[in-house]
Amino acid sequence: SIHYQPFTSKIVTMKFSLLAAAALCGSTVNAEIYFKEQFNDDAWKDRWTVSSDWKSKSELGEWTNTAGEFYADASDKGIQTSQDARFYGLSAAMTKAFNSSDKKDLVIQYSVKHEQKIDCGGAYIKLMPGGDSFEATKFGGDTPYAIMFGPDICGQNKRTHVIFHYDKKEDNLLIKKDVGCETDQLSHLYTLVLRPDNTFEVFVDNKSVRSGKLEDEFDFLPEKEIKDPEQSKPEDWVDVREIPDPEDVKPEGYDDILEEIPDPDAAKPDDWDDEDDGEWEAPMMDNPDFKGPWSPKMIPNPDYKGAWVHPMIANPEYSYDDSMHAVCKDGCTHVGFELWQVKSGTIFDDIIVTDSLEEAQKFAEETFFKKKEGEKEMFDEVEKKRREEQEAAMADEEDFDMDDMEDMQ
């Protein structure tokens, strides 16, 4: 298994070079990069470990290293799911552990490209604790995690997961209101920011799509107020808005009105023979005078007091938790993908875990946004060629059908 690796000299050198470029980098100078991956070298397989002990070999799909079917630069690769109806498990040790006790922002960012017109499959990333005890080959759906973030699509359900683990509830808390996700075949950038002031923000393609307080958007805390257990609705409380009019009386003979009557406009056919056909009877029709079962009209209830509202009191179990954001209180040391995809073909790329949104945005400019336009141009070309081939195939099929019809004549 992959073990937690100490902060390498290469990253230290990077940090010093950033410091040297303070004038250019501005607020990113002091940024810490805990993990960065672009998958542009064959050594990515050494940095990442397949979850070979999570599922059987026949259940696990193969990861391929590719730029995909359309791209801006063929040498700029990501990792792609390649087999339909498979589980995919893959994890890597971070360069440095992120610890919530440092009171820093936590930023997770990566790109997702659903080349396959995905119909059902996950594309989310996870951030996990574990350190040296993390068992990479066993990483799977039951492995404890701190954060689960990213798109998940299946049928009409299309959402971006934002899930935080909360130790005090020993549970993983889902965002209350769904965050949408992109569903086309192009690359999209997903960014999550978790701040030590207990707020969060989600970006898609560097545009903020959701932000707020953790206590408002997740079930971290109990309700501030609860129904007073000492109070209950009085027995004589009247909450019936209307009552039958006691002076309304059923008209005499109302129950004698039939639901159906013979059609007065019907006439016995001229060719009707009573001996052969039996005695003729007019067909039945709905009686326009029939009003259904009688019921008295309703009038406002003079004793009506309105809906009873249960008095609320302060919840004695409520207390604010300054540490809601501390999902990595014991240190987060690994990132990973643990997915099920019915239709494979998703490409993941340009992953960064840092404590600076500015650093993540800078990385996005160097990667995602640099190749976005070129990818779209090639995609349009590929789609145009595909449409032309389909139209040509349809024309050939029509010609073939015409030839068959001529031969039959």
Side-chain angles (χ1 to χ4, degrees):
S1 62
I2 289 183
H3 296 297
Y4 165 70
Q5 299 294 322
F7 197 32
T8 66
S9 59
K10 185 181 294 186
I11 301 301
V12 173
T13 304
M14 180 185 296
K15 185 177 179 183
F16 280 124
S17 63
L18 285 172
L19 289 168
L24 295 175
C25 297
S27 59
T28 66
V29 169
N30 297 318
E32 196 86 75
I33 298 174
Y34 301 91
F35 184 79
K36 183 185 285 188
E37 178 63 81
Q38 294 177 262
F39 301 105
N40 288 334
D41 63 310
D42 292 337
W44 75 269
K45 290 185 177 180
D46 299 326
R47 298 187 294 269
W48 292 78
T49 300
V50 172
S51 303
S52 55
D53 295 326
W54 171 41
K55 298 287 183 181
S56 66
K57 189 173 182 179
S58 62
E59 294 177 289
L60 287 175
E62 292 284 338
W63 294 90
T64 59
N65 186 220
T66 177
E69 185 181 356
F70 41 89
Y71 44 79
D73 181 354
S75 65
D76 192 334
K77 300 179 180 181
I79 53 170
Q80 183 177 41
T81 57
S82 67
Q83 294 172 281
D84 294 346
R86 293 289 192 277
F87 291 96
Y88 290 87
L90 194 69
S91 62
M94 292 162 58
T95 309
K96 180 180 180 179
F98 177 89
N99 198 303
S100 300
S101 62
D102 293 335
K103 303 290 185 182
K104 292 182 176 183
D105 289 359
L106 173 57
V107 183
I108 303 171
Q109 179 175 279
Y110 71 117
S111 71
V112 177
K113 179 167 62 165
H114 292 307
E115 282 198 342
Q116 74 277 41
K117 294 183 179 179
I118 191 168
D119 53 1
C120 189
Y124 41 81
I125 194 169
K126 288 184 174 181
L127 187 66
M128 288 87 63
D132 288 338
S133 63
F134 184 82
E135 296 182 283
T137 60
K138 294 182 179 180
F139 166 59
D142 295 330
T143 303
Y145 63 86
I147 294 176
M148 176 171 150
F149 169 63
D152 190 11
I153 295 172
C154 200
Q156 296 302 311
N157 295 318
K158 301 174 177 65
R159 63 173 64 90
T160 298
H161 283 302
V162 185
I163 304 176
F164 298 121
H165 182 76
Y166 190 42
D167 277 348
K168 292 185 178 180
K169 286 191 172 183
E170 297 183 348
D171 199 5
N172 300 316
L173 307 182
L174 285 68
I175 195 166
K176 294 178 184 177
K177 185 178 179 182
D178 278 354
V179 180
C181 67
E182 300 295 327
T183 59
D184 60 36
Q185 294 172 264
L186 298 170
S187 293
H188 292 283
L189 189 72
Y190 290 85
T191 309
L192 171 65
V193 184
L194 178 60
R195 303 184 178 96
D197 64 355
N198 285 330
T199 62
F200 77 101
E201 191 162 10
V202 177
F203 297 81
V204 178
D205 295 343
N206 209 25
K207 296 177 182 178
S208 180
V209 295
R210 181 68 59 81
S211 62
K213 298 178 180 179
L214 294 179
E215 66 265 30
D216 294 337
E217 302 287 339
F218 300 82
D219 289 325
F220 278 92
L221 306 177
E223 296 294 332
K224 289 184 179 181
E225 291 186 325
I226 59 172
K227 293 178 179 178
D228 186 349
E230 302 297 326
Q231 298 288 334
S232 60
K233 184 171 71 172
E235 292 183 3
D236 61 351
W237 187 274
V238 179
D239 54 10
V240 178
R241 189 184 296 271
E242 292 184 325
I243 59 171
D245 184 352
E247 298 182 3
D248 191 18
V249 180
K250 180 167 63 174
E252 188 174 343
Y254 186 93
D255 292 336
D256 297 331
I257 301 173
L258 299 175
E259 186 173 351
E260 291 185 329
I261 58 173
D263 185 352
D265 296 328
K268 183 168 70 172
D270 294 337
D271 59 351
W272 188 274
D273 188 315
D274 289 342
E275 289 188 8
D276 293 337
D277 300 325
E279 184 179 354
W280 181 83
E281 294 181 356
M284 303 299 285
M285 60 172 282
D286 292 338
N287 186 353
D289 295 327
F290 180 75
K291 307 300 182 185
W294 183 84
S295 61
K297 67 180 181 180
M298 304 299 287
I299 62 172
N301 187 350
D303 298 323
Y304 176 67
K305 294 183 179 181
W308 185 76
V309 178
H310 201 129
M312 304 295 286
I313 61 171
N315 185 353
E317 296 183 3
Y318 174 83
S319 64
Y320 187 79
D321 183 5
D322 290 324
S323 65
M324 285 181 284
H325 71 281
V327 296
C328 295
K329 65 182 183 64
D330 297 322
C332 288
T333 57
H334 289 73
V335 297
F337 298 100
E338 168 269 309
L339 313 168
W340 162 262
Q341 289 202 336
V342 174
K343 193 174 182 180
S344 64
T346 302
I347 297 179
F348 302 92
D349 201 4
D350 302 328
I351 307 169
I352 187 171
V353 180
T354 178
D355 58 8
S356 165
L357 177 59
E358 292 79 9
E359 180 67 35
Q361 290 172 333
K362 177 173 173 284
F363 182 57
E365 291 294 335
E366 297 168 351
T367 55
F368 174 78
F369 288 104
K370 183 179 179 181
K371 55 194 176 185
K372 183 179 181 182
E373 186 175 337
E375 178 188 291
K376 179 63 166 62
E377 290 175 357
M378 187 172 181
F379 171 76
D380 290 341
E381 292 173 2
V382 169
E383 286 300 296
K384 181 181 178 182
K385 182 179 180 182
R386 181 180 286 118
R387 286 194 299 269
E388 290 173 347
E389 290 174 349
Q390 288 176 344
E391 290 169 359
M394 290 177 64
D396 289 343
E397 187 174 332
E398 290 175 0
D399 290 342
F400 181 76
D401 291 342
M402 290 296 293
D403 291 342
D404 283 350
M405 291 179 64
E406 290 175 0
D407 292 341
M408 293 173 64
Q409 292 177 354

